[in-house]
Amino acid sequence: MRGNRIGSEVARPGRRRWWRAVLATAATIALATGMTGPAAARDVGGQIPAAAPAASPRAHTVTLDGYSFLVDGKRTYLWSGEFHYFRLPSPDLWRDIFQKMKAAGFNSTSLYFDWGYHSPKPGVYDFSGVRDVDKLLDMAQEAGLYVIARPAPYINAEVDSGGLPGWMTTKAGHNRSDDPQFLKYADEWLTQIDRIIARHQLTNGTGSVIAYQVENEYYNGSAAGRSYMQHLEDKARADGITVPLTGNNNGTFNSGTGALDVDGPDSYPQGFNCSNPSKWNGVPDISYDHPDGKPLYSPEFQGGAFDPWGGPGYDKCAQLINDQFANVFYKQNIAVGATAQSFYMTYGGTNWGWLGMPENYTSYDYGAAIRENRQLDPKYYEDKLIGYFTQSVDPLTKTEAIRATPPDDSAVVDTARMNPDTKTQFHVLRHGNSTSTAVDKTHISLDFNAQPSADTTYTWDDPDSALQYTGSWSHVANTSYTGGDYKHTESFSNKAGDSVTVPFDGTAIRWIGSKTNNHGYADVYLDGTKVATVDDSGGENQAVIFQKTGLTSGQHTLKIVVDGNHSSGSTDNYVAIDAIDVPTAAASEPTYPVVPQQPGTAITLDGRDSHVVVANYRLGDAQLQYSTSEIMTSATIGNRGVAVLYGDQGSDGETVLRYSSKPTVVTSDGTATTTWDADTGDLRLNYTHKGLIRIGISGGGKRPLLLLVGDKATAETFWRQDTATGPVLVRGTHLLRTASSLDGGHTVALTGDNADDKNIEVFTSADHLTWNGKALTTQATGTGSLTGKIAVAAPIHLPALTSWKHAEESPEAAPDFDDSSWQVADRTTTNSVSGINSLPVLYADDYGFHTGNTWYRGRFHATGKETGVHLVSDSGGDAQAFSAWLNGTFLGSSTTGGADFTFPAGAVKSKGDNVISVLTVNMGHEEDYNSTNGNKTARGLTSASLVGAPLTSVTWRLQGVRGGEDLQDTVRGPLSTGG
């Protein structure tokens, strides 16, 4: 036991071995320089580095702008997962979760710090054992993860009181406000936790904390609310916090008093009812909260859902927020410009003891990517595919929206972005109705001369006189829903037959409009002939609803007619006109008018599916014109580039690379056709995503390139780690935890877990491999990798459980039980928001019992009129219960919070004490999401009177968790099972 470390002054956890500090410093440097994993932070095979003078910490800068976070001036895409150490009270397992996050491409973790978990009474704080957050932050850094620190004072998080300590239920003052009473206690907590966070900041060079969140989901933008936020921000800075201050208040504090460095939106588009996991809500557009000069950052985007008492179970939540959800919704965030996404939860864990709020049960699995048992959900692998992409394709960290030509299948939308420096484009494809389960095949157009949307102009805005409206069109400007429209104007109608006619002179025409979920179909005519019926629904501003190129030069007429119908994913028939554009001849022809080019092939969207097509990108030393396969990762390994590309099983793939002269292409383990265009220098590769195809390309004036092209299931078997001497790509194993470079780069030491496949393949510049400390015998392959055999998991045999024992329960119900040491219920005042029902106050919190079971024993002398007892016990939630006895005779139980119990005949003693025993349970205090002191709702026995003789005096004693606020069990802490 380490209880001697509890006190009003917090001791730093025990001194680490000197070399651990050196390794941690190296890990910080590796993170800050953009390495995927801090190689120097690995302990391999028990080898301890030779003695060396400790390196001075290297401070780093953390800044942000309108595109992304930057570390030492280098842009970084924050791909973050939420983890609650208090829901996994085993420090050795924290490392397991962090390594699994890192292995899935996460470069950051978001950590709440639960005030109530650390403080059993005012002035007492425990950061030892399972509360050692110094160790927690060390482990995150050693795993190669940035940390977004979220110390509250209020965290919500479905925990008891939303993270406020139990003893706060009895204190005066208004929670989460600038009330001096609340600030006194909040400052006390922040002083304790901030001193730990501060010494782990990236800006000090002594840790990996990259951001510090102030408060949590606080939307009070009043003067008082801003005063409160400003106080917390000033407190953080005074405590030495130098990293950016962030928030998840949906933009409330992006400006004005209390402004944060960035205040982003939380988003849970599917809500928290997992009963019908096949029913989806549509994708949100979180870019509503993307102010100038700040990155688009979602501090909490849905990674699962909590399940209430009586709910359908967490497997249903995992089915609702599944790998398809991650594929569509997380890529949608990329499509609208997000460069910092944190997923709540990535590992949920367990509500041990009385940690949880009343509405939730013991499991907090959340249907997360890493399940409660620490096994990997299918969503984990989708997170990995996207995560690796965000970490390897640097131009993604700085993009602006561009207008894309609509795909030739109107059911599909292309939301496009471009890096203004490199001109790399990202085309995010999905169904316009993002809930659709249809299979659609489509083609897109790529225009490398596209301009950012902000610089886009159109020939006519919708109010222009060139547009001839017929019918009952509405013409609006500068409204809440026209902020994304061209010149903030829009015209719309939902009446069938309403039309707009536009005469024009040119060879191409475009209709620009907004897409929302209450828009419907429109018929489009050119020169009197119907050429298309288009769907105006979806979620996009200034979308190209219709486009036609290749017209004969001269006069033409465009006519748009409201159809009066809509798709199943929409709610109304509106058609919106934002602008009409007549492109010039030079601008009308895209660089690649039809992609894919190979006749008979297409891009397939298989139901709830999304693809990111990357174009005009420097892939290693090669110029990637485009690929309809998605990029998982790419790296320079040795003297060549290596990239993993993937697509859905059986779908068409097309990749075009540009060379100055014809290169040599060698394909193995599959087939790919090659087409060389000497005029453009384009090398086109066509293939089917099936298994793994290895395509080696050499010559052409470029460094060799190896494309590993697979179906999605095959891509998921690849793992990447970066070492001090370069990246390592591993195929096979259940999990690759770490990779380290030894012997000057000649050996790579791998650690990980394996299931039942002995085969492993490693792409590395090293000559030798070790696996979990043991040397591997390897063979070189024809594509430059090393293959070998590793041990499979050993079988597990569970022991038989025998020699069961039991003990009698509830001696407190016996009439002769000695309760003389129990507290007498004699209080006449309370700070509970429940008020006073009767005297004395019986609320358990007022006597220092803040969790779990509390016993009450009441004595009365009979008058002969007592026929029963009326009891009210507020337990919280839908699983509340209490039980009652009279003189040892069981009266019954209630699950409704109140009951009248009838005394059995002969149970009341006419002389001496009659003893009523009541067992109550506190299922947790309410959260205080709305800052109304909800956590101060009474718990325990809240009202009691004798039926038939309500004026008969009853003297009550009570006893809850032993010691109350003076903990007897300092290891498990204030929220442990007890009483």
Side-chain angles (χ1 to χ4, degrees):
M1 293 178 65
R2 300 169 68 186
N4 61 328
R5 289 179 52 202
I6 294 182
S8 59
E9 291 298 321
V10 182
R12 177 75 189 267
R15 179 185 292 271
R16 314 287 186 210
R17 286 176 287 181
W18 66 268
W19 54 271
R20 188 184 266 315
V22 174
L23 292 175
T25 299
T28 302
I29 294 172
L31 267 170
T33 54
M35 292 175 61
T36 304
R42 316 294 192 208
D43 301 343
V44 181
Q47 301 173 17
I48 298 176
S56 298
R58 177 193 164 197
H60 303 279
T61 62
V62 181
T63 57
L64 48 83
D65 62 15
Y67 298 107
S68 70
F69 283 79
L70 299 94
V71 177
D72 294 334
K74 177 179 171 54
R75 296 192 180 280
T76 184
Y77 198 114
L78 288 184
W79 188 254
S80 176
E82 184 81 20
F83 166 57
H84 297 164
Y85 62 96
F86 40 85
R87 285 185 161 116
L88 186 64
S90 176
D92 286 342
L93 297 182
W94 298 343
R95 179 180 285 107
D96 174 62
I97 298 301
F98 287 147
Q99 289 181 344
K100 284 173 177 171
M101 284 185 178
K102 186 65 178 178
F106 290 96
N107 70 338
S108 179
T109 184
S110 176
L111 303 175
Y112 272 142
F113 297 88
D114 185 338
W115 181 3
Y117 187 69
H118 292 274
S119 181
K121 66 186 295 186
V124 177
Y125 292 88
D126 180 9
F127 295 101
S128 66
V130 297
R131 293 166 181 77
D132 188 346
V133 294
D134 257 313
K135 178 180 287 187
L136 174 79
L137 294 171
D138 280 345
M139 286 182 175
Q141 179 187 3
E142 290 161 11
L145 296 172
Y146 292 125
V147 172
I148 301 167
R150 308 208 292 167
Y154 176 82
I155 63 173
N156 210 66
E158 291 75 65
V159 295
D160 182 85
S161 290
L164 301 175
W167 53 262
M168 281 285 286
T169 59
T170 67
K171 303 302 179 186
H174 187 174
N175 292 343
R176 307 181 70 196
S177 76
D178 60 355
D179 186 319
Q181 289 279 1
F182 178 75
L183 293 180
K184 169 188 172 183
Y185 295 115
D187 284 353
E188 180 184 278
W189 157 248
L190 292 172
T191 295
Q192 301 291 342
I193 191 64
D194 284 354
R195 69 174 58 163
I196 300 174
I197 294 171
R199 61 179 174 249
H200 287 271
Q201 292 179 105
L202 190 61
T203 44
N204 298 342
T206 54
S208 62
V209 173
I210 194 171
Y212 175 106
Q213 180 176 298
V214 179
E215 244 287 344
N216 184 78
E217 294 167 340
Y218 187 75
Y219 313 116
N220 183 356
S222 69
R226 291 185 176 279
S227 172
Y228 169 56
M229 284 294 287
Q230 189 64 59
H231 175 92
L232 296 181
E233 293 166 35
D234 292 343
K235 173 63 176 170
R237 294 307 189 201
D239 287 346
I241 301 301
T242 54
V243 294
L245 301 181
T246 66
N248 63 336
N249 315 299
N250 293 350
T252 306
F253 297 97
N254 267 322
S255 61
T257 301
L260 298 160
D261 293 307
V262 60
D263 187 11
D266 285 359
S267 183
Y268 292 84
Q270 302 307 333
F272 302 99
N273 184 349
C274 304
S275 299
N276 188 359
S278 64
K279 184 180 184 301
W280 271 15
N281 299 318
V283 294
D285 182 354
I286 64 170
S287 67
Y288 76 87
D289 190 5
H290 190 181
D292 291 341
K294 300 173 187 282
L296 181 53
Y297 163 44
S298 181
E300 292 182 24
F301 198 87
Q302 189 156 24
F306 62 76
D307 190 49
W309 288 100
Y314 279 114
D315 285 345
K316 293 287 189 182
C317 293
Q319 293 170 32
L320 176 65
I321 315 299
N322 60 5
D323 53 336
Q324 293 176 326
F325 174 89
N327 186 18
V328 173
F329 283 72
Y330 300 170
K331 288 176 183 174
Q332 164 70 9
N333 293 343
I334 291 173
V336 298
T339 56
Q341 300 189 58
S342 190
F343 303 106
Y344 190 105
M345 301 290 297
T346 298
Y347 172 75
T350 305
N351 290 319
W352 298 96
W354 302 106
L355 175 69
M357 71 170 184
E359 286 71 29
N360 290 143
Y361 49 91
T362 303
S363 176
Y364 198 70
D365 176 274
Y366 220 79
I370 306 173
R371 302 299 296 273
E372 184 178 18
N373 59 8
R374 294 180 290 111
Q375 296 301 304
L376 307 181
D377 186 81
K379 178 167 62 229
Y380 175 92
Y381 297 98
E382 186 65 43
D383 287 355
K384 178 175 125 177
L385 292 174
I386 307 173
Y388 278 30
F389 168 66
T390 67
Q391 299 308 299
S392 63
V393 182
D394 290 340
L396 189 64
T397 58
K398 182 180 181 181
T399 63
E400 297 173 349
I402 57 174
R403 299 301 163 204
T405 301
D408 60 5
D409 184 336
S410 62
V412 178
V413 296
D414 176 0
T415 308
R417 304 189 70 81
M418 181 180 71
N419 184 294
D421 301 329
T422 66
K423 306 303 180 183
T424 300
Q425 294 186 6
F426 303 92
H427 293 257
V428 182
L429 308 180
R430 62 169 174 81
H431 280 106
N433 172 11
S434 57
T435 70
S436 173
T437 58
V439 177
D440 281 280
K441 294 181 180 293
T442 194
H443 300 82
I444 63 173
S445 296
L446 299 175
D447 183 2
F448 290 2
N449 296 311
Q451 297 299 311
S453 299
D455 299 333
T456 299
T457 60
Y458 303 113
T459 307
W460 297 297
D461 193 14
D462 64 283
D464 197 285
S465 60
L467 280 69
Q468 303 163 15
Y469 293 94
T470 300
S472 53
W473 292 83
S474 297
H475 307 279
V476 295
N478 300 313
T479 68
S480 60
Y481 53 85
T482 60
D485 288 331
Y486 180 59
K487 296 186 178 180
H488 308 306
T489 66
E490 182 178 301
S491 299
F492 56 84
S493 173
N494 66 346
K495 185 178 179 180
D498 282 3
S499 66
V500 57
T501 301
V502 188
F504 67 95
D505 186 348
T507 60
I509 189 72
R510 295 195 299 172
W511 160 26
I512 311 300
S514 61
K515 286 175 169 278
T516 72
N517 62 6
N518 67 344
H519 286 194
Y521 295 122
D523 296 324
V524 181
Y525 296 79
L526 277 174
D527 299 329
T529 301
K530 182 178 176 180
V531 293
T533 296
V534 298
D535 186 357
D536 192 22
S537 66
E540 189 177 357
N541 292 318
Q542 295 188 46
V544 179
I545 309 298
F546 171 80
Q547 175 170 287
K548 184 66 174 179
T549 61
L551 301 174
T552 58
S553 180
Q555 293 289 325
H556 299 279
T557 301
L558 169 72
K559 185 177 182 180
I560 300 166
V561 182
V562 178
D563 181 273
N565 294 292
H566 61 267
S567 70
S568 60
S570 180
T571 60
D572 211 325
N573 306 321
Y574 285 100
V575 171
I577 311 295
D578 188 8
I580 300 295
D581 190 43
V582 181
T584 63
S588 62
E589 186 65 22
T591 310
Y592 293 97
V594 179
V595 172
Q597 301 176 54
Q598 178 70 24
T601 66
I603 299 170
T604 301
L605 285 176
D606 188 359
R608 291 168 172 176
D609 192 7
S610 180
H611 302 301
V612 182
V613 174
V614 179
N616 199 16
Y617 171 57
R618 195 76 170 175
L619 184 64
D621 192 40
Q623 171 62 24
L624 175 68
Q625 294 296 92
Y626 66 83
S627 179
T628 63
S629 300
E630 296 192 71
I631 298 175
M632 178 186 182
T633 190
S634 64
T636 298
I637 300 177
N639 66 346
R640 64 177 177 173
V642 179
V644 180
L645 309 180
Y646 68 95
D648 292 333
Q649 166 77 18
S651 65
D652 301 322
E654 182 170 286
T655 297
V656 175
L657 299 148
R658 179 157 290 185
Y659 289 89
S660 59
S661 58
K662 186 176 181 179
T664 300
V665 180
V666 177
T667 303
S668 59
D669 295 343
T671 59
T673 61
T674 63
T675 304
W676 170 251
D677 187 332
D679 292 335
T680 62
D682 280 1
L683 172 69
R684 176 157 56 87
L685 306 169
N686 288 93
Y687 44 83
T688 300
H689 296 109
K690 183 179 180 181
L692 182 67
I693 308 171
R694 303 165 190 254
I695 305 173
I697 307 168
S698 58
K702 302 291 184 182
R703 180 186 302 160
L705 175 66
L706 174 64
L707 299 179
L708 302 169
V709 182
D711 54 41
K712 181 175 281 191
T714 300
E716 290 171 353
T717 66
F718 282 92
W719 305 89
R720 174 176 172 168
Q721 292 280 354
D722 286 9
T723 75
T725 56
V728 176
L729 194 62
V730 175
R731 182 186 179 204
T733 84
H734 176 68
L735 176 72
L736 177 66
R737 292 184 179 272
T738 69
S740 300
S741 178
L742 303 177
D743 306 326
H746 292 288
T747 299
V748 167
L750 306 174
T751 69
D753 304 345
N754 195 27
D756 54 6
D757 186 354
K758 295 181 179 180
N759 299 304
I760 188 172
E761 181 177 12
V762 183
F763 297 84
T764 175
S765 59
D767 307 311
H768 305 286
L769 304 175
T770 68
W771 175 258
N772 290 338
K774 296 183 178 180
L776 293 182
T777 301
T778 61
Q779 293 181 328
T781 69
T783 52
S785 60
L786 299 175
T787 59
K789 305 287 186 183
I790 58 176
V792 298
I796 297 174
H797 302 287
L798 297 177
L801 299 178
T802 59
S803 302
W804 290 86
K805 298 179 180 180
H806 73 281
E808 296 297 327
E809 290 187 336
S810 307
E812 297 89 345
D816 57 352
F817 179 81
D818 182 5
D819 59 17
S820 60
S821 63
W822 289 16
Q823 290 192 56
V824 176
D826 56 5
R827 297 187 182 276
T828 59
T829 62
T830 183
N831 286 315
S832 170
V833 295
S834 300
I836 297 176
N837 296 317
S838 61
L839 293 177
V841 172
L842 297 174
Y843 310 154
D845 285 302
D846 285 283
Y847 298 90
F849 305 127
H850 304 304
T851 60
N853 297 109
T854 298
W855 276 96
Y856 292 80
R857 286 169 59 87
R859 288 175 167 81
F860 69 92
H861 285 214
T863 65
K865 298 180 180 180
E866 297 81 7
T867 60
V869 62
H870 172 74
L871 300 173
V872 178
S873 176
D874 292 325
S875 301
D878 294 331
Q880 59 180 330
F882 68 93
S883 300
W885 294 257
L886 173 67
N887 298 325
T889 299
F890 182 61
L891 300 179
S893 298
S894 171
T895 58
T896 63
D900 289 332
F901 296 106
T902 301
F903 293 152
V908 179
K909 296 190 296 185
S910 59
K911 295 182 179 181
D913 287 340
N914 286 278
V915 181
I916 303 171
S917 302
V918 184
L919 175 61
T920 68
V921 59
N922 178 353
M923 297 301 294
H925 298 93
E926 302 297 337
E927 297 173 304
D928 198 19
Y929 185 82
N930 294 316
S931 308
T932 56
N933 286 357
N935 65 309
K936 298 180 184 181
T937 302
R939 291 292 184 262
L941 193 58
T942 57
S943 180
S945 60
L946 294 169
V947 177
L951 299 181
T952 298
S953 175
V954 182
T955 302
W956 289 96
R957 290 178 179 268
L958 69 159
Q959 176 64 53
V961 61
R962 266 200 322 150
E965 292 178 359
D966 295 309
L967 291 184
Q968 304 299 298
D969 183 351
T970 58
V971 173
R972 292 187 296 170
L975 296 169
S976 66
T977 303

